[in-house]
Amino acid sequence: MERIESGIKGLDDLLNGGIPYGHTVAVIGPFGSGKTTMAMQFIYHGLINNEKCVYISLEEDRDSIIKTAKEFSWNFDDYIDKNLLLVKLDPEDAKSTMTRVENDLTQEISDFGAKRVVLDSATLLTMMFQEEHEKRKILFLMSNAVKKAGATSIFTGESKPENPMVSRDGLLEYVADGVILLNQIPLKEKYELRLVLQILKMRRTSHSRKMHPFYIGEKGIEVLADVDLL
Amino acid sequence: MERIESGIKGLDDLLNGGIPYGHTVAVIGPFGSGKTTMAMQFIYHGLINNEKCVYISLEEDRDSIIKTAKEFSWNFDDYIDKNLLLVKLDPEDAKSTMTRVENDLTQEISDFGAKRVVLDSATLLTMMFQEEHEKRKILFLMSNAVKKAGATSIFTGESKPENPMVSRDGLLEYVADGVILLNQIPLKEKYELRLVLQILKMRRTSHSRKMHPFYIGEKGIEVLADVDLL
Amino acid sequence: MERIESGIKGLDDLLNGGIPYGHTVAVIGPFGSGKTTMAMQFIYHGLINNEKCVYISLEEDRDSIIKTAKEFSWNFDDYIDKNLLLVKLDPEDAKSTMTRVENDLTQEISDFGAKRVVLDSATLLTMMFQEEHEKRKILFLMSNAVKKAGATSIFTGESKPENPMVSRDGLLEYVADGVILLNQIPLKEKYELRLVLQILKMRRTSHSRKMHPFYIGEKGIEVLADVDLL
Amino acid sequence: MERIESGIKGLDDLLNGGIPYGHTVAVIGPFGSGKTTMAMQFIYHGLINNEKCVYISLEEDRDSIIKTAKEFSWNFDDYIDKNLLLVKLDPEDAKSTMTRVENDLTQEISDFGAKRVVLDSATLLTMMFQEEHEKRKILFLMSNAVKKAGATSIFTGESKPENPMVSRDGLLEYVADGVILLNQIPLKEKYELRLVLQILKMRRTSHSRKMHPFYIGEKGIEVLADVDLL
Amino acid sequence: MERIESGIKGLDDLLNGGIPYGHTVAVIGPFGSGKTTMAMQFIYHGLINNEKCVYISLEEDRDSIIKTAKEFSWNFDDYIDKNLLLVKLDPEDAKSTMTRVENDLTQEISDFGAKRVVLDSATLLTMMFQEEHEKRKILFLMSNAVKKAGATSIFTGESKPENPMVSRDGLLEYVADGVILLNQIPLKEKYELRLVLQILKMRRTSHSRKMHPFYIGEKGIEVLADVDLL
Amino acid sequence: MERIESGIKGLDDLLNGGIPYGHTVAVIGPFGSGKTTMAMQFIYHGLINNEKCVYISLEEDRDSIIKTAKEFSWNFDDYIDKNLLLVKLDPEDAKSTMTRVENDLTQEISDFGAKRVVLDSATLLTMMFQEEHEKRKILFLMSNAVKKAGATSIFTGESKPENPMVSRDGLLEYVADGVILLNQIPLKEKYELRLVLQILKMRRTSHSRKMHPFYIGEKGIEVLADVDLL
């Protein structure tokens, strides 16, 4: 099976070599667990390998994205427009977002020739809509847009506060071919939080089901694939 | 009593020989627990024994199903149309799905002469409808279609995040003659997930009520019927 | 006080001799806990003692009921129409069910001269209705129909997944004179489920409040009234 | 302060001599915990002391109430109409019940000269109404009817399954001057239920806040006021 | 900072000398925890110090309030009208209550020259209204009425059954400058309830954050400020 | 990266030097945990460093804010109008608040040249609106107003009673670049509450993920960055 490197150190080992080509992978977790960082790192790995990438954001605007990436020395501005397409969706205007996704975005992603796509975050996207069926629709539209373009993608999603192993809208995991959980678990009698990663689902490949510690350093996320939690 | 072999290694032993003929068995569990794999394996076992099979999917399209099966060396394409009918229902269009199930599907399944039917997933099917009574209706329609054709079937269903022993819509277990739970339970102080299977209900036969470990290998699911969890 | 034998081995001892005559007893529990089996056994005990019995089902149709009973060597077909009335209510058509129960069923049960009545399941019955007051109404109608006929009855009901000591609709226990819980509790560090029975309420008689193990064997349910759980 | 004897052996000691005169006492607990028995015993104690009593029931009809009381050798029929007024409210017809309570019941209770009143159960009464404000209204109407007549009363109420220290509608404790909890707690590693009583609130008097075991014997409820739970 | 004595023995020590002048203090807790007693004691302390006091009740009427106070030898009737204004709001008539609070009450409290005000209970007040915004409005109106009059006040409020540290409507703590929790916690292996007090919030002053036992004796509440819970 | 000093002793160390310039930081926690104190301290630190500051309050009015600050010897009145703008939003009038924020506030903050902005509390702001999308809108408007002005800000927010790591409306954490939790955790067998601070999220900077004790003294909040909780 064809796979692509995630660019996240340690993760590809847990996936038997990488993310299956064409998969939509949901990266879920509570806020502050590193979902955006992982998504950017995935994009940056594509950029330095000369792949075309699309980064769709509802949380941060163009400038903010570039600044955030720069903190890890990922120079998104070097690639903008030629290899990197930054798309900002307005988290307020539900109607125009639906129209945009429905009419243009599929074509845009496809025309651009995207190999990697990020949607940050799918939760803010579904949160824009009141009705369950609209939430489902926008998510399927987005997913189909990416699949048609033949791209591999990461959709970030907030996890449910009362159960971090499930996404907030409870829909994202249906759209996704894989689900990776980034979580913060209390260590040392609950007085400190430790970042951990766990692959909950990945179609068409066997994978680790362990919880692995990871950290966010100067070069982004590194998963300690061989370190056991005590 | 007449029974049919599930094709899942180890499972038939727990069921005193197999699934009672004509049963609708709900296979419930969280995402990533192997429900689709079990459903495909059930179908493949029918195919190689020359039984006619129908695979109804709302999650994956035709190509994707074939690809997923191929990962386990189950060559669905060898059987397509002659012995295997792949039906893709659109998880977005509630109205047309209801019409299709109500009018044609019963006839289709029956005309095809299906011995085994899979519905993957019943959760996505009920999720399409807003009203409780519509959810119930589509589920009963589907179930009746299968029963009338005299087929034995597996309906997969997501389990409730807060209580994996119950299906997400809370309806599937009413339609089903049997309920098999696929679950991921934390082992080793919660830092790793272990796959386990448990038969929660099976009409007209006695059965194991133990939790059995299983794994997903190159040839699909194997239940370790004789292995005790520590 | 007049009592009738339940026919369930061991249960009558826990009830000081049997179910008080004329009682409506709710048998609640999760799916797969043996509620239908207990209801059928109660009916069969009446049949072999030459009592007229009515079995009202929403879950299984005529054929299915007979087949299920036959697994325990209870030959329902020997008694059909003369001593056993099988009534199938359609779990989909709320309106006609309400009409039927309201107009005819009371008369039918009474004319038949029923001594024992089973409703399997009250949960499916109330689930047919959207509004709380309709749920309550159908349940009271059904209960009154049975009471007027002077019959003793068992109404099965699914228990709440998050609290098995309460029925799913939270209404059944108001209608019932008695409540018997069939439950599955995890034994051996949670890796196996054990069937247990507990009488939660029984008007006009003292009763055991212990949890008793039971099993489902070839001749139906046997309660181990004298066995203590460790 | 003037007090009246409850008639429940052991309870008056926990209340420093009895229920304060004119109080409305909510007796809450799960089904099967003895609420109706306690209410009947309270009435019977009035009857044998020549007090006029009113028993308002939504659960059982006239015959059933008399039969249930007779199980404890409380001969309600000896007192009927002269000293005991049995009122049956239809748990189905919300409108007529509201009208009846609003217009006639206050007068009836007062004209009868009731010293003790029982309402069994307040939960079924409030359950008849859909809207929160109607529930509140019927409860206040009932309470005021009793207060105006100068009677002391017991209102039984189902407790919340997930928290037995609160009534099901969450309103009864606002109307009541006192709240007595009848509960079933698991003993011996959860395999047996023990009946316990606890006074949660009693205006204008100090009271025990301990949990006391009680049992239901041939002569009704006896609270073991001096027995400590282990 | 100016402070006023609460009159509750032991409490002022925990508050570094008393309640900050002009504060609205929410006293929250489950029913039966002594909220009304504390509110009355606060008023009585004002009365014997010749301060004008207003007691607004939704739970008890004029006579009942006087009787309840008399149990602690607090002779409210000696002060009525001259120094003590008793206001009874009808817990049923939402509209007229809103009008009364909106139009007259502010003026009344101010004209009377109230130094201390009690609202018993804020929960019954907000419970009268269906809509969230109405609940909020009545609470702010009441709070502003008191603030404008320059009075220090206690608003009692039921706490949430599932979390006693929060008020039932979830609004009272926003209006209040301080929150005091009266709670009943299980001692001795859960078989007895112990009354405890804890200051959860108090603007403009440091305060104890410990849980302190208290009891309700013949002279009202006494907080055992120096006693540690084991 | 440019950072600004929070003014809270100990906090800047946990943030590797201070709050990233231009960030909106949500300070969430239960009532009484010191959120308002931290916000005022943040403002005061700006004032004494000659920065222009805006304090937007929904909880306390002008006088009350000044009084509360004065308890910590922070003389807000010395700076009013010249360097400190106090804005009081009416927590009752949703419409006019929406209009004000939409039309004027952005301009006001920008014209004033604010470097630091506080919104106390974002929860009361969103609570004014019934509809989810209005809540989201007002929060984004407010956040954008601050961002456009180039100010660094603190938005206080009540945390969910059942899960203090999440804000009450579940929206604040989406708007914020950082989330700081102020919490009260039970120590010594639950009989005393200890104040603790934890940084849950901070974009573009690494940060401590430990829980740190803090206290509120005469000079405001001091975080004990080097003290470990036992």
Side-chain angles (χ1 to χ4, degrees):
Chain A
M1 189 202 305
E2 210 180 337
R3 293 169 191 264
I4 83 166
E5 287 177 1
S6 67
I8 287 89
K9 226 181 136 182
L11 177 61
D12 294 335
D13 293 346
L14 305 179
L15 285 166
N16 277 334
I19 301 173
Y21 185 81
H23 264 33
T24 295
V25 176
V27 173
I28 66 172
F31 57 86
S33 59
K35 299 184 299 292
T36 297
T37 304
M38 178 173 278
M40 286 182 165
Q41 194 166 353
F42 169 75
I43 288 295
Y44 189 68
H45 195 73
L47 292 177
I48 60 176
N49 287 309
N50 231 6
E51 295 171 7
K52 301 255 182 178
C53 301
V54 176
Y55 191 99
I56 307 165
S57 176
L58 287 99
E59 302 214 339
E60 305 186 63
D61 60 23
R62 199 180 177 89
D63 278 9
S64 179
I65 293 167
I66 293 170
K67 261 197 210 162
T68 300
K70 198 158 282 169
E71 286 303 314
F72 297 99
S73 314
W74 302 329
N75 293 309
F76 275 17
D77 24 16
D78 294 354
Y79 299 91
I80 275 200
D81 295 335
K82 225 189 109 208
N83 280 308
L84 175 61
L85 194 65
L86 289 183
V87 179
K88 178 71 174 68
L89 295 180
D90 177 357
E92 272 317 297
D93 190 345
K95 222 184 207 165
S96 78
T97 295
M98 183 64 93
T99 313
R100 169 120 194 239
V101 173
E102 211 161 6
N103 299 342
D104 315 328
L105 209 60
T106 311
Q107 202 58 40
E108 266 177 85
I109 294 171
S110 182
D111 287 354
F112 192 69
K115 284 283 162 277
R116 294 176 188 237
V117 176
V118 154
L119 171 64
D120 185 33
S121 68
T123 310
L124 260 186
L125 186 68
T126 54
M127 209 189 253
M128 291 170 70
F129 300 91
Q130 256 68 266
E131 302 297 327
E132 188 80 6
H133 67 96
E134 289 173 314
K135 291 171 189 277
R136 219 162 40 228
K137 188 179 173 188
I138 193 77
L139 220 46
F140 273 105
L141 280 175
M142 194 59 99
S143 162
N144 287 338
V146 172
K147 297 241 160 188
K148 268 187 199 151
T152 306
S153 63
I154 282 182
F155 285 19
T156 67
E158 208 73 8
S159 57
K160 264 212 180 106
E162 59 277 17
N163 184 352
M165 294 177 87
V166 189
S167 79
R168 198 149 179 149
D169 51 38
L171 297 169
L172 185 53
E173 40 279 59
Y174 287 91
V175 166
D177 300 296
V179 179
I180 295 175
L181 169 66
L182 303 187
N183 206 358
Q184 308 200 48
I185 60 167
L187 288 193
K188 258 201 195 167
E189 295 176 327
K190 297 213 170 198
Y191 297 137
E192 184 168 3
L193 294 174
R194 179 91 182 249
L195 291 166
V196 293
L197 174 152
Q198 193 168 24
I199 301 167
L200 298 180
K201 168 184 175 179
M202 196 62 67
R203 277 192 184 133
R204 296 185 211 152
T205 179
S206 63
H207 57 83
S208 159
R209 288 178 189 267
K210 267 197 194 168
M211 205 181 269
H212 299 274
F214 73 91
Y215 68 92
I216 309 177
E218 285 181 15
K219 299 187 171 175
I221 287 176
E222 178 169 356
V223 184
L224 306 173
D226 298 326
V227 173
D228 274 348
L229 284 163
L230 301 190
Chain B
M1 189 202 306
E2 209 178 339
R3 295 169 190 265
I4 82 167
E5 286 178 1
S6 67
I8 287 90
K9 226 181 137 181
L11 177 60
D12 294 335
D13 293 346
L14 304 179
L15 284 166
N16 278 333
I19 301 173
Y21 185 82
H23 264 33
T24 294
V25 176
V27 173
I28 65 173
F31 58 86
S33 59
K35 299 183 299 292
T36 296
T37 305
M38 178 174 278
M40 286 182 166
Q41 194 167 353
F42 168 75
I43 288 295
Y44 188 68
H45 195 74
L47 293 177
I48 59 176
N49 286 309
N50 231 5
E51 296 172 7
K52 301 254 181 179
C53 301
V54 176
Y55 192 99
I56 307 165
S57 176
L58 287 99
E59 302 214 339
E60 304 186 64
D61 59 23
R62 199 179 178 89
D63 279 8
S64 180
I65 292 167
I66 293 171
K67 260 196 211 162
T68 301
K70 198 158 282 171
E71 286 303 315
F72 297 99
S73 314
W74 303 327
N75 293 310
F76 275 18
D77 25 16
D78 293 354
Y79 300 90
I80 275 199
D81 295 335
K82 223 188 112 206
N83 280 308
L84 174 61
L85 195 65
L86 289 183
V87 180
K88 178 69 174 68
L89 296 180
D90 177 357
E92 273 316 297
D93 191 346
K95 222 185 207 163
S96 79
T97 295
M98 182 65 92
T99 313
R100 169 121 194 239
V101 174
E102 211 162 6
N103 299 342
D104 315 328
L105 209 60
T106 311
Q107 203 58 40
E108 267 177 84
I109 295 172
S110 182
D111 287 354
F112 192 69
K115 283 283 161 278
R116 295 178 187 236
V117 176
V118 154
L119 171 64
D120 185 33
S121 69
T123 310
L124 259 186
L125 186 68
T126 54
M127 209 189 251
M128 292 170 69
F129 300 92
Q130 256 69 266
E131 301 296 326
E132 189 80 6
H133 67 97
E134 288 173 315
K135 290 171 189 277
R136 217 161 41 227
K137 188 179 173 188
I138 192 77
L139 221 45
F140 273 105
L141 281 175
M142 194 59 99
S143 163
N144 286 338
V146 173
K147 298 241 161 190
K148 267 186 201 152
T152 306
S153 63
I154 283 182
F155 285 19
T156 68
E158 208 73 7
S159 56
K160 265 212 179 106
E162 59 278 17
N163 184 352
M165 293 177 86
V166 189
S167 80
R168 198 149 180 150
D169 50 39
L171 298 169
L172 184 53
E173 40 279 59
Y174 288 90
V175 166
D177 299 296
V179 180
I180 295 175
L181 168 67
L182 303 188
N183 205 358
Q184 308 200 48
I185 59 168
L187 289 193
K188 258 199 195 169
E189 294 177 328
K190 296 211 171 200
Y191 297 137
E192 183 168 4
L193 294 174
R194 179 93 183 248
L195 291 166
V196 294
L197 174 152
Q198 193 169 24
I199 301 167
L200 298 180
K201 168 184 176 180
M202 196 61 67
R203 277 193 184 131
R204 296 186 210 151
T205 180
S206 62
H207 58 84
S208 159
R209 288 178 190 267
K210 267 196 193 167
M211 206 181 271
H212 299 275
F214 74 91
Y215 69 91
I216 309 178
E218 284 181 17
K219 298 186 172 177
I221 288 177
E222 178 168 359
V223 183
L224 306 174
D226 298 326
V227 173
D228 274 348
L229 284 162
L230 301 190
Chain C
M1 188 203 307
E2 210 178 338
R3 294 169 191 266
I4 82 166
E5 287 177 2
S6 67
I8 286 90
K9 226 181 136 182
L11 177 60
D12 294 335
D13 293 346
L14 304 179
L15 284 167
N16 277 334
I19 301 174
Y21 185 81
H23 264 33
T24 295
V25 175
V27 173
I28 66 174
F31 58 87
S33 60
K35 299 184 300 291
T36 296
T37 305
M38 178 174 278
M40 286 183 166
Q41 194 167 352
F42 168 76
I43 287 296
Y44 189 68
H45 195 73
L47 292 177
I48 59 176
N49 287 309
N50 229 6
E51 296 172 6
K52 300 254 180 179
C53 301
V54 177
Y55 192 98
I56 308 165
S57 175
L58 287 98
E59 301 214 339
E60 303 186 64
D61 59 24
R62 200 179 177 89
D63 279 8
S64 180
I65 293 168
I66 293 170
K67 260 196 213 162
T68 301
K70 198 158 283 172
E71 286 303 313
F72 296 100
S73 313
W74 304 328
N75 293 310
F76 275 18
D77 25 16
D78 293 353
Y79 299 91
I80 275 201
D81 294 334
K82 223 189 112 207
N83 280 309
L84 174 61
L85 194 65
L86 289 183
V87 180
K88 178 69 173 69
L89 296 180
D90 177 356
E92 271 317 296
D93 190 345
K95 222 185 208 161
S96 78
T97 295
M98 182 65 92
T99 312
R100 169 121 195 240
V101 173
E102 210 161 6
N103 299 343
D104 315 328
L105 209 61
T106 311
Q107 203 57 40
E108 266 177 84
I109 295 172
S110 182
D111 288 354
F112 192 69
K115 284 283 160 279
R116 296 178 186 235
V117 176
V118 154
L119 171 65
D120 185 32
S121 70
T123 309
L124 259 187
L125 186 67
T126 55
M127 209 189 252
M128 292 170 69
F129 300 91
Q130 257 68 264
E131 301 296 327
E132 188 81 7
H133 67 97
E134 288 173 315
K135 290 171 189 277
R136 219 161 39 228
K137 188 178 172 189
I138 192 77
L139 221 45
F140 273 105
L141 280 175
M142 195 58 100
S143 162
N144 286 338
V146 173
K147 298 241 161 190
K148 267 187 201 151
T152 306
S153 63
I154 283 181
F155 284 19
T156 68
E158 207 74 6
S159 55
K160 264 211 179 107
E162 59 276 18
N163 184 352
M165 295 178 85
V166 188
S167 79
R168 198 148 180 150
D169 50 39
L171 297 169
L172 185 53
E173 40 280 59
Y174 287 91
V175 166
D177 300 295
V179 179
I180 295 175
L181 168 66
L182 303 188
N183 206 358
Q184 308 200 49
I185 60 169
L187 289 193
K188 257 202 197 166
E189 293 176 330
K190 297 213 171 198
Y191 297 137
E192 183 167 5
L193 294 174
R194 179 92 182 248
L195 292 166
V196 293
L197 174 152
Q198 193 169 23
I199 301 167
L200 298 180
K201 169 185 175 179
M202 196 60 68
R203 278 194 182 130
R204 296 186 210 151
T205 180
S206 63
H207 58 83
S208 159
R209 288 177 190 270
K210 266 195 194 169
M211 206 181 270
H212 299 275
F214 74 91
Y215 69 92
I216 309 177
E218 284 181 16
K219 299 187 171 176
I221 288 177
E222 177 168 359
V223 183
L224 305 174
D226 298 325
V227 173
D228 274 348
L229 285 162
L230 301 190
Chain D
M1 189 203 306
E2 211 178 335
R3 291 169 192 266
I4 82 166
E5 287 177 2
S6 68
I8 286 90
K9 226 179 136 181
L11 178 60
D12 294 334
D13 293 346
L14 305 179
L15 284 167
N16 277 334
I19 300 174
Y21 185 82
H23 264 32
T24 295
V25 176
V27 173
I28 65 174
F31 59 85
S33 60
K35 298 184 301 290
T36 296
T37 305
M38 179 175 277
M40 286 183 165
Q41 194 167 352
F42 168 75
I43 287 296
Y44 189 67
H45 195 73
L47 292 178
I48 60 176
N49 286 309
N50 230 6
E51 295 172 7
K52 301 254 181 179
C53 302
V54 176
Y55 192 98
I56 307 164
S57 176
L58 286 98
E59 302 213 340
E60 303 185 64
D61 60 24
R62 199 182 177 88
D63 279 8
S64 179
I65 292 168
I66 292 170
K67 260 196 212 162
T68 301
K70 198 157 282 171
E71 286 303 313
F72 297 100
S73 313
W74 302 329
N75 293 310
F76 275 18
D77 24 16
D78 294 352
Y79 299 90
I80 275 201
D81 294 335
K82 224 188 111 207
N83 279 309
L84 174 61
L85 195 65
L86 289 183
V87 181
K88 177 70 173 68
L89 296 180
D90 177 356
E92 272 317 295
D93 190 345
K95 223 185 208 164
S96 78
T97 294
M98 181 64 92
T99 313
R100 169 119 196 242
V101 173
E102 211 161 7
N103 298 344
D104 315 328
L105 208 61
T106 312
Q107 203 57 39
E108 266 178 84
I109 294 172
S110 182
D111 288 354
F112 192 68
K115 284 282 160 280
R116 295 177 187 236
V117 176
V118 153
L119 171 64
D120 184 32
S121 69
T123 310
L124 259 187
L125 186 67
T126 55
M127 209 189 253
M128 292 170 69
F129 300 91
Q130 256 69 264
E131 300 297 326
E132 187 81 6
H133 66 97
E134 289 174 314
K135 290 171 189 278
R136 220 162 39 229
K137 189 179 171 187
I138 192 77
L139 221 45
F140 273 106
L141 280 174
M142 195 58 100
S143 162
N144 286 339
V146 172
K147 298 240 160 191
K148 267 188 201 150
T152 307
S153 63
I154 283 181
F155 285 19
T156 67
E158 207 75 5
S159 55
K160 264 212 180 104
E162 60 276 19
N163 184 352
M165 294 178 86
V166 188
S167 78
R168 199 148 177 150
D169 50 39
L171 296 170
L172 184 54
E173 41 279 59
Y174 287 91
V175 166
D177 300 296
V179 179
I180 295 175
L181 168 66
L182 303 188
N183 205 358
Q184 308 200 49
I185 60 167
L187 289 193
K188 257 201 197 166
E189 293 177 330
K190 296 212 169 196
Y191 297 137
E192 183 167 4
L193 294 174
R194 180 91 182 248
L195 292 167
V196 293
L197 174 151
Q198 193 169 24
I199 302 167
L200 298 180
K201 169 185 175 179
M202 196 59 68
R203 276 192 184 133
R204 295 187 210 149
T205 180
S206 63
H207 58 83
S208 159
R209 287 177 190 270
K210 266 195 194 168
M211 205 180 270
H212 299 276
F214 74 91
Y215 68 91
I216 309 178
E218 286 181 15
K219 299 187 171 175
I221 287 177
E222 178 168 358
V223 184
L224 305 173
D226 298 326
V227 173
D228 275 347
L229 285 163
L230 301 190
Chain E
M1 188 205 306
E2 210 178 336
R3 292 170 191 265
I4 83 165
E5 287 176 2
S6 67
I8 286 89
K9 227 180 136 182
L11 177 60
D12 294 335
D13 293 347
L14 304 179
L15 284 166
N16 277 334
I19 300 173
Y21 185 82
H23 263 32
T24 294
V25 176
V27 173
I28 66 173
F31 58 86
S33 60
K35 298 183 301 290
T36 296
T37 305
M38 179 174 276
M40 286 182 166
Q41 194 166 353
F42 169 75
I43 288 296
Y44 189 67
H45 196 72
L47 292 178
I48 59 177
N49 286 309
N50 230 4
E51 295 172 7
K52 300 255 182 179
C53 301
V54 176
Y55 192 98
I56 306 164
S57 176
L58 286 99
E59 301 214 339
E60 304 186 63
D61 60 23
R62 200 182 178 87
D63 279 9
S64 179
I65 293 167
I66 293 171
K67 260 197 212 163
T68 300
K70 198 157 281 170
E71 286 303 313
F72 296 100
S73 313
W74 302 329
N75 293 309
F76 274 18
D77 24 16
D78 294 353
Y79 300 91
I80 275 201
D81 293 336
K82 225 189 110 206
N83 279 309
L84 175 60
L85 195 65
L86 290 182
V87 180
K88 178 67 174 69
L89 295 181
D90 177 356
E92 272 316 298
D93 190 345
K95 222 184 207 165
S96 78
T97 295
M98 182 64 92
T99 313
R100 169 119 195 242
V101 173
E102 210 161 7
N103 299 343
D104 315 327
L105 208 61
T106 312
Q107 203 56 40
E108 267 178 82
I109 294 171
S110 182
D111 288 354
F112 192 68
K115 283 283 159 278
R116 293 176 188 238
V117 176
V118 153
L119 171 64
D120 185 32
S121 69
T123 310
L124 260 187
L125 186 67
T126 55
M127 209 188 253
M128 292 169 68
F129 300 92
Q130 256 69 264
E131 300 297 326
E132 187 81 6
H133 67 96
E134 288 173 314
K135 289 172 189 278
R136 218 161 41 227
K137 189 179 172 188
I138 192 77
L139 221 46
F140 273 105
L141 280 175
M142 195 58 99
S143 162
N144 286 339
V146 172
K147 297 241 160 190
K148 267 188 202 151
T152 307
S153 63
I154 283 180
F155 285 19
T156 67
E158 207 74 6
S159 55
K160 263 212 181 105
E162 59 277 18
N163 184 351
M165 295 178 86
V166 188
S167 79
R168 199 147 177 151
D169 50 39
L171 297 169
L172 185 53
E173 41 279 57
Y174 287 90
V175 166
D177 300 296
V179 179
I180 295 175
L181 168 66
L182 303 187
N183 205 357
Q184 307 200 50
I185 60 167
L187 289 192
K188 258 200 198 167
E189 293 178 330
K190 296 213 169 198
Y191 297 137
E192 183 168 4
L193 294 174
R194 180 91 183 248
L195 292 167
V196 294
L197 174 151
Q198 193 168 24
I199 302 167
L200 298 181
K201 169 185 177 180
M202 196 62 67
R203 277 193 183 132
R204 295 185 211 152
T205 180
S206 63
H207 58 82
S208 159
R209 287 178 190 269
K210 266 195 194 168
M211 206 181 270
H212 299 275
F214 74 90
Y215 68 91
I216 309 178
E218 285 182 14
K219 299 186 170 174
I221 287 177
E222 178 168 357
V223 184
L224 305 174
D226 298 326
V227 174
D228 274 347
L229 285 163
L230 301 191
Chain F
M1 189 204 306
E2 210 179 337
R3 294 169 191 265
I4 82 165
E5 287 176 3
S6 67
I8 287 89
K9 227 180 135 182
L11 177 60
D12 294 335
D13 293 347
L14 305 179
L15 285 167
N16 278 333
I19 301 173
Y21 185 82
H23 264 32
T24 294
V25 176
V27 173
I28 66 173
F31 58 86
S33 60
K35 298 183 301 290
T36 297
T37 304
M38 178 173 277
M40 286 182 165
Q41 194 167 352
F42 169 75
I43 288 295
Y44 189 68
H45 195 72
L47 292 177
I48 60 177
N49 286 310
N50 231 4
E51 294 171 7
K52 301 256 181 177
C53 301
V54 176
Y55 192 100
I56 306 165
S57 176
L58 287 99
E59 301 214 340
E60 304 185 64
D61 60 23
R62 201 181 176 88
D63 279 9
S64 179
I65 293 167
I66 293 171
K67 259 197 212 162
T68 300
K70 198 157 282 170
E71 286 302 314
F72 297 99
S73 314
W74 302 329
N75 294 310
F76 275 17
D77 24 17
D78 294 353
Y79 300 91
I80 275 200
D81 294 336
K82 225 190 109 206
N83 280 309
L84 175 61
L85 194 65
L86 290 183
V87 179
K88 178 68 174 70
L89 295 180
D90 177 356
E92 273 317 297
D93 190 346
K95 221 183 208 166
S96 78
T97 294
M98 182 64 93
T99 313
R100 169 120 196 241
V101 173
E102 210 161 6
N103 299 342
D104 316 327
L105 208 61
T106 312
Q107 203 56 40
E108 267 178 83
I109 294 171
S110 182
D111 287 354
F112 192 69
K115 283 282 161 279
R116 292 176 189 237
V117 176
V118 154
L119 170 64
D120 184 32
S121 69
T123 309
L124 260 187
L125 187 67
T126 54
M127 208 189 254
M128 292 170 69
F129 300 91
Q130 256 69 264
E131 301 296 328
E132 188 81 5
H133 67 96
E134 289 173 315
K135 290 172 189 276
R136 218 161 43 228
K137 188 179 173 188
I138 192 78
L139 221 45
F140 273 106
L141 280 175
M142 195 59 99
S143 163
N144 286 338
V146 172
K147 297 242 160 187
K148 268 188 200 149
T152 306
S153 63
I154 282 181
F155 285 19
T156 67
E158 208 74 6
S159 56
K160 265 212 180 105
E162 60 277 18
N163 184 351
M165 295 179 86
V166 188
S167 78
R168 198 148 178 150
D169 50 38
L171 297 169
L172 185 54
E173 42 279 58
Y174 287 90
V175 166
D177 300 296
V179 179
I180 296 175
L181 169 67
L182 303 188
N183 206 357
Q184 309 199 50
I185 60 167
L187 289 193
K188 258 201 197 167
E189 294 177 328
K190 297 213 170 199
Y191 297 137
E192 183 168 4
L193 294 174
R194 179 92 183 249
L195 292 166
V196 294
L197 174 151
Q198 193 168 24
I199 301 166
L200 298 180
K201 169 185 176 179
M202 196 61 68
R203 277 193 182 131
R204 295 185 210 152
T205 180
S206 63
H207 58 83
S208 160
R209 288 177 190 268
K210 266 195 195 170
M211 207 181 269
H212 299 276
F214 74 91
Y215 69 92
I216 309 178
E218 286 181 14
K219 299 186 171 176
I221 287 176
E222 177 168 357
V223 184
L224 306 174
D226 298 327
V227 174
D228 273 348
L229 285 162
L230 301 191

